[in-house]
Amino acid sequence: MIDEKFDAIVVGAGMAGNAAAYTMAKRGLKVLQLERGEYSGSKNVQGAILYADMMEKIIPDFREDAPLERHLIEQRFWMMTDNSHTGLQYRSDEFNEESPNRYTIIRAQFDKWFSSKVREAGALVVCETTVTELVQDAYGKVIGVKTDRGGGQIHADVVVLAEGVTGLLGTRAGLRKIPKPTEVALAVKEMHFLPQEVIEQRFNLKGNEGVVIEAVGTISKGMTGMGFIYSNRECISVGLGCLVSDFQASGVSPYQLLEKFKSHPSVAPLLEGSEVKEYAAHLIPEGGYNAIPQLYGDGWVVVGDAAQLNNAIHREGSNLAMTSGRIAAEAVFQVKSRKDPMTAQNLSLYKKMLDDSFIMKDLKKYKDMPKLLHIQSQNFFLTYPQLVNKAMENYLRVDGTPKKEKQKLTMKSFVSARSWAGLFGDAFRLARAWR
Ligand SMILES: Cc1cc2nc3c(=O)[nH]c(=O)nc-3n(C[C@H](O)[C@H](O)[C@H](O)COP(=O)(O)OP(=O)(O)OC[C@H]3O[C@@H](n4cnc5c(N)ncnc54)[C@H](O)[C@@H]3O)c2cc1C
């Protein structure tokens, strides 16, 4: 049992929790961080791309000793059918800058490093400890936590809920609802190990350069979802995720989809001869702006995935998690500095600061996107990728058919799949949700 009272208790040591605990401890607050895993990162799953700008705002010189894999110089987007893909590719030497913008990382290593910084900043970090309950006073104010170690209650002025996507603690305490199956994706991921030089050869890389491939199409069988391939130093992360509601409706298992993705003729050669050493599955919040719950209350704030702060359209999550953790910590620090109580009214500062940040601006911008992609999933994730690939094949195959006839054939295949009104309708809805 810990007898002291803390300024803040942080539940969870993922990106959001570490950012919050680090920022508060660095500002001199007395912080206790509780993590159920054996160590920070042991339970956490990510592709994983680290966005340096957001990390720099927490630890400016993180590049000096953080475990980074490769900095990204190239992004490929693939629209796939079962035996082909049409790609869009951006590669730039500009990304070989002195302080690169995006890196691949391995979360188990990165979180462990981040946690060591939290400890150095002065927070008390206790792992292998699950918070089982939020302690509330007679007025419903959160005043502390109980853990599976027994020993009664631990008290703090404020509890920062950084417990990840399922957010069981907050939902059990009635602070928010359990995310709906239409609001979360289930992703599975494998780590394929290969010698460094083989990875560099296969992806056309040198030194620490890295590539990301993101893919949609028949690989998700018409479900809202995507596949990814990330190059690390000595391994390749390959994974795929779709909305839980779509998995429920289709009866397809994520593992079957991943096997199919890996055996695709465009993917298999990249993985050939590799040794799989890790397999992981995790949920991703994908409900966007409309799924964000109440973010603060008397004695508590919620950050990161637990607050559904995830930009699925741009595949950004960890940066929203660490930024919301940092902002929540700064808000707590301001309230504390004024010697004000941690009431909902005072903690609403966190929401105001979040509204002013890129997080809420981006999520608000795409607020109609998750619903649109879900309702039109057959079109966007099955029909259109097939049509685009067919059109490419038709365009490239030289078989004596006059070009005019080929064009007609392509147009005809689009119109027979969707009427002109349907095609324009989808384009219009997509443009409106994207604007
Ligand atoms: C397959 C996959 C690929 C992804 N790729 C990317 C990517 O490339 N880039 C990107 O930016 N984002 C990506 N994301 C999203 C990103 O991983 C998340 O947005 C991010 O990890 C959220 O951080 P968090 O701290 O909120 O939650 P988490 O990282 O999930 O951390 C929550 C922590 O809380 C702990 N915890 C939970 N309950 C309790 C409790 N009761 N008591 C104590 N501890 C508790 C957990 O053990 C965990 O350590 C990906 C996600 C997945 C699943």
Side-chain angles (χ1 to χ4, degrees), residues 7-8 10 18-32 117-125 329 333:
D7 291 324
V10 179
N18 282 341
Y22 179 85
T23 307
M24 287 188 290
K26 206 71 186 160
R27 281 160 177 63
L29 300 193
K30 192 165 152 187
V31 178
L32 170 67
K117 296 287 169 187
V118 174
R119 282 194 171 94
E120 274 172 33
L124 175 61
V125 182
F333 177 69

Side-chain angles (χ1 to χ4, degrees), residues 70 193-205 231-236 269-274:
R70 292 176 180 273
F193 282 76
L194 280 166
Q196 192 167 333
E197 58 281 8
V198 174
I199 292 179
E200 282 157 21
Q201 211 174 33
R202 285 184 190 177
F203 287 88
N204 187 20
L205 302 168
S231 60
N232 299 312
R233 211 180 290 259
E234 289 178 347
C235 66
I236 298 167
L270 297 173
L271 305 176
E272 198 183 323
S274 63

Side-chain angles (χ1 to χ4, degrees), residues 252-308:
V252 176
S253 86
Y255 189 66
Q256 283 170 332
L257 284 191
L258 183 58
E259 283 306 307
K260 190 115 201 288
F261 183 44
K262 286 188 310 180
S263 61
H264 189 281
S266 301
V267 178
L270 297 173
L271 305 176
E272 198 183 323
S274 63
E275 189 188 348
V276 183
K277 289 198 187 161
E278 277 179 53
Y279 179 83
H282 208 277
L283 294 174
I284 308 177
E286 299 219 335
Y289 188 77
N290 296 323
I292 298 172
Q294 176 66 22
L295 294 170
Y296 59 90
D298 281 330
W300 63 273
V301 289
V302 58
V303 295
D305 275 12
Q308 299 284 308

